[in-house]
Amino acid sequence: MNPSPGQDSNDLASASSWLGRGMAPAWPAELLEHFCLRMSSQGMCVSRALMICDRRYALEQLAHAHNMADDMLRMMAVQLFRHFEARQSGIAGLH
């Protein structure tokens, strides 16, 4: 990665090391979309950006969804969590 004019190479190195830290895995886009909409229908606003960029936030939202009295939402949370586990372990997803 070449620094652009005005950028210090140390800044780029620290930025690239930050990018991998705490990132949630790439979620299946359609499933994430439906999950966020279903959570919204239950009165819970879920940020897609934070689901993608913040592992802790993503897991908290999955836990909230799993504890709601909505079987479809619970199923979506389980599917997303299985995807998360598979990505963390390096095992290919079960899609």
Side-chain angles (χ1 to χ4, degrees), residues 58-87:
L59 292 175
E60 286 174 0
Q61 298 312 309
L62 295 179
H64 289 311
H66 194 268
N67 292 327
M68 289 186 176
D70 182 329
D71 290 336
M72 179 62 76
L73 190 54
R74 189 174 296 120
M75 184 184 74
M76 288 178 188
V78 168
Q79 288 176 329
L80 287 168
F81 185 74
R82 285 182 180 158
H83 178 79
F84 174 84
E85 282 187 315
R87 291 291 299 257

Side-chain angles (χ1 to χ4, degrees), residues 2-87:
N2 295 331
S4 60
Q7 264 189 323
D8 185 84
S9 61
N10 290 334
D11 290 341
L12 291 174
S14 64
S16 63
S17 69
W18 174 83
L19 287 175
R21 212 176 307 147
M23 299 280 288
W27 304 104
E30 190 173 329
L31 181 56
L32 180 59
E33 174 76 18
H34 287 112
F35 174 79
C36 292
L37 291 172
R38 189 78 178 206
M39 286 288 280
S40 178
S41 74
Q42 295 293 324
M44 300 283 293
C45 182
V46 175
S47 167
R48 285 180 202 92
L50 286 176
M51 287 291 290
I52 293 167
C53 296
D54 187 334
R55 180 182 305 152
R56 182 177 296 171
Y57 174 86
L59 292 175
E60 286 174 0
Q61 298 312 309
L62 295 179
H64 289 311
H66 194 268
N67 292 327
M68 289 186 176
D70 182 329
D71 290 336
M72 179 62 76
L73 190 54
R74 189 174 296 120
M75 184 184 74
M76 288 178 188
V78 168
Q79 288 176 329
L80 287 168
F81 185 74
R82 285 182 180 158
H83 178 79
F84 174 84
E85 282 187 315
R87 291 291 299 257

